[in-house]
Amino acid sequence: MAILKRFDKEFWDKGYRFIAGIDEAGRGPLAGPVVASAVIFPSETFIDGIDDSKKLTPPERNRLFNVIKDNALSIGIGIVPSEVIDNINILEATKMAMNYAISSLTVPPDLLIIDGITPVESPIKQFTIKRGDSLSHSIAAASIIAKVTRDRLMLEYDVKYPQYLFAGHKGYGTPEHMKRIREFGPCEIHRRSFTGVKEHLNKIGSGL
């Protein structure tokens, strides 16, 4: 937690008031949307327990999701569905989701700190930070919001498409998920340009 506090505090000490931490969830799955979040906290606001969402259990993420919502100045969420991912590729779709999240903030940020190495197209000053979800309190909070939001969407898809067991793997390419794709073929939320789905479609097209 000390590292996460220090990182954001350095920007507040430089005079930035509204720092938006930005992260995404769902770049790697074979199905479902990519989701991005932008989170702005009041200066010097830190929440115990916040960390990279991948290091937290589902109950911890769900609890912190509510705490972040209660304490943030503003939260923005951007969702880009699988068909758009197929049309423009996952990198561009991720940047689109991040821009949607930024534009939905109700408090205009004066600095963007983004997990990863890829900047977004924005007139707002920004820093990209490799492994930012392990270094910045604001980015870690955004990772939690994005992850919980996406997981809840995948639970809804599980009800609509129960044969794929989305509630368990959330669209990632687990052996069980791959087995279900081979058995039932892809559904409308599968990413048809992704390895693991594309090959199955090619086999169908070739009559194999």
Side-chain angles (χ1 to χ4, degrees):
M1 187 65 181
I3 293 175
L4 299 181
K5 286 182 178 181
R6 184 173 69 245
F7 199 94
D8 289 36
K9 190 174 187 308
E10 288 178 359
F11 288 115
W12 280 319
D13 289 345
K14 290 177 182 177
Y16 295 105
R17 292 187 60 205
F18 304 118
I19 303 167
I22 301 166
D23 201 2
E24 53 72 31
R27 287 186 67 159
L30 305 183
V34 61
V35 177
S37 176
V39 176
I40 300 176
F41 285 112
S43 296
E44 305 296 333
T45 297
F46 297 103
I47 297 170
D48 286 338
I50 282 185
D51 203 343
D52 173 3
S53 64
K54 296 184 291 296
K55 299 177 182 178
L56 302 171
T57 65
E60 288 172 333
R61 287 195 296 264
N62 283 308
R63 179 185 68 80
L64 287 165
F65 179 91
N66 293 324
V67 177
I68 293 165
K69 288 184 68 176
D70 289 342
N71 287 272
L73 281 177
S74 183
I75 295 174
I77 294 173
I79 301 171
V80 174
S82 53
E83 60 267 26
V84 176
I85 295 170
D86 286 333
N87 286 335
I88 66 175
N89 76 54
I90 187 58
L91 176 61
E92 294 303 317
T94 300
K95 292 193 289 185
M96 179 183 289
M98 288 181 173
N99 276 318
Y100 286 162
I102 295 164
S103 65
S104 67
L105 289 166
T106 56
V107 175
D110 53 13
L111 179 68
L112 310 176
I113 51 176
I114 304 169
D115 181 57
I117 60 173
T118 305
V120 297
E121 293 182 8
S122 174
I124 304 166
K125 186 168 184 177
Q126 61 184 286
F127 289 96
T128 57
I129 304 161
K130 193 173 182 179
R131 296 188 67 250
D133 48 7
S134 295
L135 297 172
S136 161
H137 177 265
S138 298
I139 294 176
S143 79
I144 293 167
I145 295 294
K147 173 66 173 168
V148 173
T149 299
R150 187 180 188 280
D151 282 356
R152 290 176 179 178
L153 288 172
M154 295 309 295
L155 291 176
E156 294 177 11
Y157 285 127
D158 183 70
V159 174
K160 188 174 182 180
Y161 305 106
Q163 67 270 39
Y164 297 100
L165 307 179
F166 288 133
H169 53 69
K170 306 300 189 298
Y172 284 87
T174 64
E176 184 60 42
H177 188 192
M178 298 303 298
K179 176 184 175 183
R180 299 291 169 138
I181 293 173
R182 291 191 297 270
E183 183 175 356
F184 299 105
C187 69
E188 65 177 352
I189 70 162
H190 278 101
R191 301 176 183 179
R192 294 167 183 263
S193 60
F194 273 46
T195 300
V197 180
K198 181 169 57 177
E199 289 79 1
H200 183 79
L201 291 169
N202 288 340
K203 286 182 181 179
I204 294 174
S206 65
L208 296 176

